[in-house]
Amino acid sequence: MSYWTHRDAVRALMAAQGVTGWLLMDFRGNNPLFAQTLGRGASGGHLTRRTFAWLPADPHTREVVIAHAIESSAMDDPRWEVRTYHDAASLRGQLSALGPGGTLAGAQVAMEYSPGGGLPYVSRVDGGTIDMMRELGANVVTSADLLQVAIAQWDETQISQHDTAARLVDDAKNAAFALVAERLRAGGTIDEFEVQQFIVDHFASNDLVSVYRPTVAVGPNSANSHYEPLAHTALPIERDSWLLIDLWARMNIPGSPFADVTWVAWTGPSPVPTRIREVFDVVKSARDLALIRLEGAAKAGRVPQGWEIDRAVRDHIEEAGYGPYFTHRTGHNLGPEEVHGSAGVCLDDFETHDTRLVLSDVAFSVEPGIYLRGDFGVRLELNAVMGPQGARVYTPVQDDIIVLLK
């Protein structure tokens, strides 16, 4: 999945946006989207100087890579023309000649740039380079939606890989809850860290790979949305306790996407406290509202922006009286090999104002949460891929609180 597999769609979007061309730039790996978009990094060498790739909207114009003369062989590829520079002046000369008629004056140039730093996932090009492009006469615009079309839309292989990962992740979650229930039923002890390590081992035994470690959070720790248990600080999981598990993994295959879910349980045997059930119901209805809004937009023939979905969910939680306790975005992009993807839209009008379109075949989590510090937190997370009729959900959905001991 790269620019080359979606070239016609990328060019069509550039034409619709009035973009002359897309200029990618990387310097010592500061823009990983460069290699992802081109479908390869340096070949037969390493890059220590600035490297640019020009992807023109005009289908009759060939793609160009600009590399330093001593590193140009690392970027040799039949899919593009390699042009070289030797010093700062010749670099400016090569860049200025990219546009129609050999000039960038007046050209609309898309780059990994976000006005005001609004989308840090996209904002990879340094301010000085943006200044240089403007000095050359270019009007720099964001490449945010070009990135989505080029590298964020899943194909059928990735959907299948996600299905497999989601099933195995769900198995790990079920086994973890079963372990806690078995230990408590037998009168034994167990803590957050042991359950976390059980999940890590379960992933390994099923050839799943991950980054970071799962969240296993009991009681007040569940109100910390990025809590990680440590061996020396983990709390015991006892009877009549609230338990949240957030876990994510992918198949051990290059380019495969993550499955990322969060589930909650009451250990029992006493009934679930009324306030916990009340908060659970608010979070569940907020999660479902996101899917309803996405479906409604699709049926109306409208492509929503990511912030719109978060705003609807956030307003719903605020109306229920829990607005200050929803402290993160509604959902993040799921990218190939990235649990928190950079190239695709997030459902976010809180941490950012994500104006990227929720395009077909782009994947994301839906995971509203309410966190009552010092008491408990509830988050319900599923994974979805946008389709022509709305969001298609690809992970099991929690519609009621799991009770471990009854």
Side-chain angles (χ1 to χ4, degrees):
M1 184 169 62
S2 69
Y3 162 78
W4 305 101
T5 54
H6 299 92
R7 179 162 57 173
D8 290 345
V10 171
R11 285 174 168 170
L13 182 56
M14 283 196 277
Q17 294 180 341
V19 171
T20 309
W22 180 5
L23 184 65
L24 295 118
M25 178 263 191
D26 184 57
F27 178 60
R28 299 183 180 180
N30 70 341
N31 183 9
L33 301 171
F34 178 94
Q36 292 175 34
T37 301
L38 292 184
R40 52 150 279 183
S43 177
H46 59 279
L47 300 176
T48 63
R49 272 72 168 177
R50 287 172 287 183
T51 308
F52 293 81
W54 175 246
L55 310 178
D58 181 0
H60 304 294
T61 303
R62 192 179 183 197
E63 291 81 4
V64 173
V65 164
I66 299 175
H68 194 278
I70 66 173
E71 298 177 340
S72 61
S73 62
M75 292 304 296
D76 281 342
D77 194 295
R79 292 174 294 182
W80 54 70
E81 175 190 352
V82 177
R83 299 178 186 175
T84 63
Y85 70 94
H86 300 271
D87 55 18
S90 60
L91 173 60
R92 291 174 69 96
Q94 290 286 21
L95 290 170
S96 66
L98 287 173
T103 178
L104 283 179
Q108 293 271 104
V109 177
M111 300 187 75
E112 280 65 74
Y113 154 78
S114 177
L119 293 175
Y121 326 100
V122 174
S123 194
R124 306 285 183 151
V125 179
D126 65 281
T129 298
I130 299 295
D131 290 342
M132 177 175 66
M133 297 307 299
R134 289 172 174 157
E135 290 169 4
L136 295 174
N139 177 30
V140 179
V141 298
T142 183
S143 62
D145 280 325
L146 299 177
L147 283 164
Q148 289 209 97
V149 173
I151 60 176
Q153 293 178 300
W154 286 7
D155 58 26
E156 289 302 318
T157 297
Q158 289 169 313
I159 288 175
S160 176
Q161 291 169 342
H162 180 270
D163 276 347
T164 300
R167 174 177 54 79
L168 295 172
V169 166
D170 193 60
D171 288 346
K173 175 264 296 179
N174 291 337
F177 280 136
L179 172 67
V180 174
E182 178 184 2
R183 193 71 59 82
L184 295 179
R185 192 174 292 113
T189 61
I190 193 168
D191 66 19
E192 299 165 322
F193 184 76
E194 182 180 351
V195 177
Q196 180 202 66
Q197 295 307 300
F198 173 85
I199 294 170
V200 170
D201 291 343
H202 195 284
F203 286 170
S205 66
N206 286 277
D207 200 26
L208 295 176
V209 295
S210 190
V211 292
Y212 316 117
R213 287 175 290 190
T215 294
V216 178
V218 68
N221 285 339
S222 66
N224 178 350
S225 59
H226 273 194
Y227 172 75
E228 180 182 336
L230 302 175
H232 62 286
T233 59
L235 291 181
I237 303 172
E238 300 174 330
R239 289 173 172 246
D240 292 336
S241 296
W242 183 244
L243 180 60
L244 178 150
I245 297 180
D246 182 358
L247 65 170
W248 52 92
R250 64 178 183 87
M251 296 179 68
N252 190 13
I253 297 173
S256 68
F258 275 85
D260 180 14
V261 299
T262 306
W263 284 62
V264 291
W266 176 250
T267 59
S270 298
V272 178
T274 300
R275 192 176 189 206
I276 288 180
R277 187 167 289 283
E278 174 189 294
V279 172
F280 176 91
D281 289 343
V282 172
V283 173
K284 174 189 168 186
S285 60
R287 177 201 66 194
D288 295 346
L289 177 62
L291 301 176
I292 291 169
R293 289 301 180 94
L294 289 165
E295 180 182 10
K299 289 183 175 179
R302 189 176 69 84
V303 182
Q305 295 179 345
W307 71 268
E308 298 177 53
I309 309 305
D310 179 77
R311 178 44 51 193
V313 170
R314 197 164 298 281
D315 287 348
H316 177 82
I317 291 176
E318 287 176 355
E319 289 168 6
Y322 292 100
Y325 309 105
F326 180 20
T327 55
H328 57 70
R329 63 198 170 199
T330 293
H332 60 80
N333 177 247
L334 290 163
E337 300 189 10
E338 286 186 304
V339 64
H340 293 151
S342 296
V345 64
C346 297
L347 309 183
D348 188 6
D349 193 34
F350 182 67
E351 300 173 40
T352 70
H353 181 69
D354 200 327
T355 56
R356 289 176 290 185
L357 298 171
V358 186
L359 297 176
S360 182
D361 299 322
V362 172
F364 46 86
S365 69
V366 179
E367 50 177 308
I370 293 173
Y371 308 95
L372 305 177
R373 287 282 178 173
D375 197 354
F376 68 93
V378 178
R379 180 168 66 257
L380 301 175
E381 180 179 12
L382 55 80
N383 299 167
V385 178
M386 193 62 184
Q389 301 301 316
R392 306 188 302 267
V393 177
Y394 282 94
T395 48
V397 177
Q398 181 169 11
D399 284 326
D400 202 0
I401 297 170
I402 297 172
V403 178
L404 301 183
L405 302 177
K406 299 179 182 179

